[in-house]
Amino acid sequence: MKRLPAARWLASLMALGVSAGCSVPDLADRAQIETPTNSCESDAECGDGNVCVGAGLCVATEGAFDTVLLTVSPSATANTVPGVSGVRFVSTQSGLSLGGDIILDFQPPTRLTATIDPLMASPMGCTLPAEGGTGIPFVQAAVTFTPAERILGLPLKTYTANLWLGPPGEPIPPEVNEDELNRFSVDLPAGKYEASVQPETTSEACAPVPYLLEGVTVGTQGAVSLDLPVVAPQRLVATFLWPASAEHDLEGWSVDMVDSATGHVLSQPRTLPSGPPFSTVHTIGTEPALEYRVEIDFAAEVPGRENFVAGEELLRLRPPKNTSGPTMVWVRTGLEALTPGEALIDMSDLAQTVELEGVVEISETGVSQAASLIFTAKAEELLAEGDFFIGNTSTYSVSVETEEDGSFSVPLLPGTYTVFATPDQSSGLAATKIEGWSVAPEPAVQAGRLLSLGQSRSIRGLTTSSTPAATPIVGATVQAAASPGALNVGAFVDARGQKPFAPRAGNSTTDGSGAFEFVADPGTYDISVRPMQETGFPWLVRPNVEFTGEENRQLDLKMPLPVLHAGVARLNVETSNGSYEPSALSGALIRVYVYVDAAGVVSDPFEDGSVRTRPGLGVLQVAETRADDSGIFDLLLPASLN
């Protein structure tokens, strides 16, 4: 391992003035806190290959993270540059394994001002002038910009502008702000975005439909105006057939259209009508059937999307709130196979449900316990007759809340289910996953099911430094978060409302011996130990910790030494004479992430100038710091993952 002299580190700090004005913990700082600190008087105290720098700090001379991603969130109160508050800047820095300076210079956000033509976005039949106007209502809307590049593990940052949509030339209602009518402004960092235009949910037939734009590129021009392209809606007439003999009907269920790639909504929701002439009796085979007919106007294009394929939108049918029932999704092209623009959907298979009744109880005591339940079955695990599920590789899922006494009653199709039971976290009980629950076609009511919950088990640990002294890490915050890879689902699954089962964990603080303990559900976690920066220790991060929940788990954690970096965060601000000068991002919050995949740290996440799109590539947070009034910050980056 290459050994750098202490002078190398001190020179780096002095170059940015860190030793005088920032918070790199020197001996005096560390003497004022009551916890053991990272301190030294000689290299020997730091272990092989490490050095004791002039500030009395043990540091590693080389780290495992050559490339990191940094996010910079300016302070809401410390900056005077317009449009900066609420913006997040992103920068990728390479060549950091040996420490050194991090210079973060950003361009100010661009003020984007845009106009929308609501007539173009109005449903079919609403654009022709008529007595009293077009029939298009004035409605509030939100335009949300989402960065086009999503990175697993990096919290999504969106930017939203509000406006009114309404027909030009008609009298403006008093509640409408004329300056926000069919136009908006928003401050965006340079980059490429998706823009989702979402009018308020309304039952009015002529309300503009939501739509999606991709490839909206924002440069560093300072200010730019544009007319957003608008998608003329297309109409799908959907007819749902439901057995008239069924104990319940589809009254109150809602239908909408969803983008299959992103999950963005592409239509106003429409509620299935009740009563003639919209609900009439037909037949399914020889059986009487109710017919529910609804017209859905939707955005059938995504301007700016590369390799766009028409017809891949998802038609979604959902039950009313507080009603047990599945959310169903169909690909539009499959529905229009016989007649373009029309879909006839036989729902008789879904009426073949049986009522499953049971109770949730605590295994150790037999006392009943309230919980949230999710019943999920793959299409091939269902026993429904007919062709409703043929070729359907998705899953069928029903969610229900038990009564306070733990009892539940839920309609299910016959089949084999995986059941997730999640009690309130304050109960001290662990969430439970049960596989192989069979539901037979008969009898119509099947009672007596029992679902047992056990006490939560703990993840325990002992955290000490990796130096020869094995100093206990005291007073550090310990956090456990479900590994993001296990929670990553596609838009198809998300559209069905099938959120992934997210295990829950508590948090803790290390005691005087460096020990910690917290309860957790069974699952896979990324665990981080976060000492106070004044101690001179970096974060300790251990990813992908498997926890079965069957018994307590003990971890022996060795705090890595820091690789020391000095940095500055600045914004290039235009002056009155047209030149640009750097302005400090005072008080900015800086978070640091490393690139990881299933094999561990990825030191080369770039290929042909872009982040690789291979499955499983993501980021993991390993450090956090804050800039001072001059924008200067110090960074204690862990030398490696634990």
Side-chain angles (χ1 to χ4, degrees), residues 123-150:
M124 299 171 67
C126 297
T127 57
L128 296 178
E131 185 178 352
T134 63
I136 299 174
F138 287 85
V139 298
Q140 290 182 296
V143 183
T144 300
F145 290 83
T146 304
E149 182 181 63
R150 292 173 171 81

Side-chain angles (χ1 to χ4, degrees), residues 221 239 425 432 484 544-545 547 562 617:
Q221 301 94 329
T239 302
Q425 197 164 10
T432 300
N544 300 319
V545 175
F547 181 57
L617 180 67

Side-chain angles (χ1 to χ4, degrees), residues 213-227:
L213 309 172
E214 292 188 357
V216 179
T217 301
V218 176
T220 58
Q221 301 94 329
V224 63
S225 299
L226 59 84
D227 294 329

Side-chain angles (χ1 to χ4, degrees), residues 206-291:
C206 284
V209 303
Y211 64 96
L212 178 66
L213 309 172
E214 292 188 357
V216 179
T217 301
V218 176
T220 58
Q221 301 94 329
V224 63
S225 299
L226 59 84
D227 294 329
L228 286 185
V230 178
V231 178
Q234 185 172 323
R235 174 165 291 177
L236 175 69
V237 180
T239 302
F240 299 89
L241 299 181
W242 185 260
S245 59
E247 294 186 5
H248 55 283
D249 55 31
L250 298 181
E251 182 177 341
W253 286 52
S254 64
V255 185
D256 61 3
M257 198 74 75
V258 179
D259 179 53
S260 61
T262 65
H264 286 294
V265 176
L266 300 176
S267 76
Q268 292 282 359
R270 291 290 175 251
T271 301
L272 294 188
S274 60
F278 302 107
S279 176
T280 56
V281 176
H282 287 260
T283 59
I284 301 175
T286 59
E287 298 295 324
L290 297 176
E291 177 189 273

